[in-house]
Amino acid sequence: MQSTSANAFSSNGEAAITRSLDLDEQANRTGVQRREDDVGIDEFYEIDATVAQIQQHHFRRIALQFPDEMLRDSVAVYLALGSRLKATSYFDCNLFVLADTSYGSCCTDEVAAQHVNADVVIHYGHACLSATTRLPTIYIYGKRRIDMSNAVDTFRTSIGQTVPQSITLRTDVSYNHAADGIVEKIRTAFPDTDISKQDLPRIQQPRQSLVIHNDVSHSDNSNLQADSVSMSETVLFIGPESLALTNLLMTKSSAQVYRYDPVHRQCNLESARTNKLLMRRYAVMQRARDADVFGILVGTLGVASYLHLITEVRKMLTREGKKTYTIS
C-alpha cells in the first residue's frame, strides 16, 4: 500500500488536470476578477496602451500570461493585439498565449515564456509584482467596478469625527485604475489632510542583482517608491481580504488601517487584528527556533535571485547545526 506521506511531496499531475475550479468561490475569497459581458475587450485589457508599450520598447516575441479566470478571453485578446499592431505597421513580432503557469498565476512565469524565447511577458490580472530576473513584464491589472463616492463616504463614516493628519491610499491591483479618482474625492472630504497613494508600475524591468548582508537585502534596480505608509497616520485599503492586506497590517502595525470592500460596500477598521497576527507569527517563530530539520519550500522559478536566497538560507541554517531539505 502506498503511504500517504509520499503523496504529500509528489504528484503525477493528474490532480491539476482533473480538478474543477469554482470561480465564484475564488472571486469572493481572493478577489479573482472576470470581464463583465458589457465591458469590451479593448477597454478591459487596455489594448491601445499595451500596443504603445510594445512599440516603445521594440518587443518582438511577446508572451501573454492569463490567470485561469481570464483564459476565456485569451484568443480575443490575441486577435485584438495582432490586429492593432498590424494596423500601426508593426509587423515583425510574434504573440504567444502561455497555456499554464508553473506556480501561482500572480507571478510572472519566466519559465513558460522562455519556452517560446520571449523577450517580454504581458501579465494579465492579479499580480504580486515580484521582481523577475530575465524578462521585463507589462502589467494589465484589469478594471473591477467600484463606486468611488460610496467608498469615500463609507470611509468617512467609519472614522467618525476624527480628522487624520495624513491618509495613504492602497488598492488591490484590480482597483488601481480608480486610484486617482478616489484620491480626489478624499481630498474633497478632507481638505486639511495630506493625501498620498501608492503608484503601481505599468512595466517592470528585471532586477539584475540582489546583495545580502546579514538580515538586510539591497537591490540595485527597484521600481518601488519610498513607502509613504511609514509616515502615514491612516491607511485606506481598497479591495478584498488578501495577502497584500495581511502584509500591510504586519509591516505597518502602528498605522490605522481601514479596508473598503467594493463588493459588499462596507468599510471596517482592520488594524484591530494586527496584534493577533503578530502574536501568531511570534509563536511560529519560537517553534521554529526549537526545530532541528527545516524544509525550504520553493514556490517560484521566476522571482529575482531566488536561488541566491535559498543558498543563503541553507548556509545560515547549517551554521546553526540545522538540517535542511529543499522542496520544489
Side-chain angles (χ1 to χ4, degrees):
M1 183 175 67
Q2 189 176 14
S3 64
T4 56
S5 61
N7 291 334
F9 295 99
S10 63
S11 171
N12 60 8
E14 181 181 357
I17 298 174
T18 59
R19 69 186 175 96
S20 59
L21 296 175
D22 188 341
L23 295 181
D24 292 331
E25 186 273 335
Q26 280 188 338
N28 292 329
R29 177 168 52 86
T30 62
V32 166
Q33 60 170 326
R34 285 173 288 175
R35 181 180 60 87
E36 301 292 340
D37 292 336
D38 59 345
V39 180
I41 291 289
D42 287 12
E43 177 186 355
F44 187 84
Y45 292 100
E46 303 181 46
I47 300 299
D48 288 335
T50 305
V51 168
Q53 289 284 354
I54 292 172
Q55 294 176 331
Q56 178 182 349
H57 297 278
H58 308 290
F59 294 128
R60 298 299 177 184
R61 298 182 67 83
I62 302 145
L64 311 180
Q65 179 182 339
F66 295 87
D68 291 339
E69 67 275 7
M70 289 184 177
L71 275 174
R72 66 174 187 172
D73 290 334
S74 59
V75 174
V77 173
Y78 172 91
L79 293 174
L81 283 175
S83 175
R84 200 64 52 83
L85 287 167
K86 289 180 180 178
T88 56
S89 301
Y90 196 82
F91 298 105
D92 188 17
C93 67
N94 293 282
L95 302 173
F96 305 89
V97 176
L98 302 184
D100 201 358
T101 53
S102 300
Y103 287 101
S105 59
C106 62
C107 295
T108 301
D109 193 350
E110 289 188 297
V111 174
Q114 285 183 306
H115 290 167
V116 295
N117 196 28
D119 52 20
V120 67
V121 176
I122 301 178
H123 184 285
Y124 294 96
H126 180 72
C128 59
L129 302 178
S130 298
T132 57
T133 55
R134 304 176 186 89
L135 298 176
T137 304
I138 297 174
Y139 290 106
I140 305 298
Y141 302 113
K143 297 180 179 180
R144 302 192 79 185
R145 291 176 175 173
I146 180 173
D147 185 339
M148 292 185 287
S149 296
N150 180 262
V152 176
D153 291 344
T154 308
F155 169 61
R156 186 170 186 175
T157 301
S158 297
I159 65 175
Q161 299 299 319
T162 305
V163 179
Q165 294 181 358
S166 59
I167 298 174
T168 297
L169 177 68
R170 288 285 192 92
T171 67
D172 180 86
V173 296
S174 58
Y175 296 105
N176 182 60
H177 66 97
D180 290 335
I182 295 174
V183 165
E184 291 304 316
K185 291 184 179 297
I186 294 176
R187 286 200 175 104
T188 301
F190 300 93
D192 299 325
T193 300
D194 181 38
I195 312 297
S196 61
K197 67 180 178 69
Q198 181 190 36
D199 293 321
L200 300 182
R202 170 66 66 185
I203 182 170
Q204 187 164 257
Q205 298 295 335
R207 293 189 183 181
Q208 301 302 322
S209 64
L210 185 68
V211 182
I212 298 178
H213 301 288
N214 295 328
D215 61 341
V216 180
S217 62
H218 306 274
S219 173
D220 64 352
N221 180 23
S222 174
N223 288 307
L224 299 180
Q225 298 179 346
D227 193 351
S228 58
V229 177
S230 60
M231 300 299 293
S232 183
E233 180 184 23
T234 302
V235 180
L236 173 59
F237 180 86
I238 306 291
E241 290 192 20
S242 61
L243 285 177
L245 175 62
T246 301
N247 291 336
L248 180 62
L249 293 172
M250 299 268 291
T251 56
K252 308 300 175 186
S253 57
S254 61
Q256 293 289 304
V257 180
Y258 292 82
R259 180 179 72 89
Y260 175 76
D261 187 335
V263 176
H264 299 97
R265 299 166 67 89
Q266 296 177 347
C267 185
N268 298 306
L269 178 64
E270 296 288 339
S271 51
R273 61 189 179 96
T274 302
N275 287 339
K276 290 183 179 180
L277 292 172
L278 291 173
M279 289 174 62
R280 187 182 306 166
R281 180 173 180 265
Y282 178 78
V284 172
M285 290 175 64
Q286 293 302 310
R287 287 206 317 238
R289 291 178 61 182
D290 298 330
D292 294 320
V293 181
F294 284 79
I296 303 175
L297 179 62
V298 183
T300 180
L301 294 176
V303 174
S305 303
Y306 78 98
L307 288 175
H308 183 61
L309 289 171
I310 293 172
T311 301
E312 290 297 320
V313 171
R314 281 179 181 160
K315 289 180 180 178
M316 293 170 61
L317 291 172
T318 301
R319 285 197 299 266
E320 299 298 326
K322 311 294 184 179
K323 184 180 295 186
T324 64
Y325 293 93
T326 303
I327 305 168
S328 178

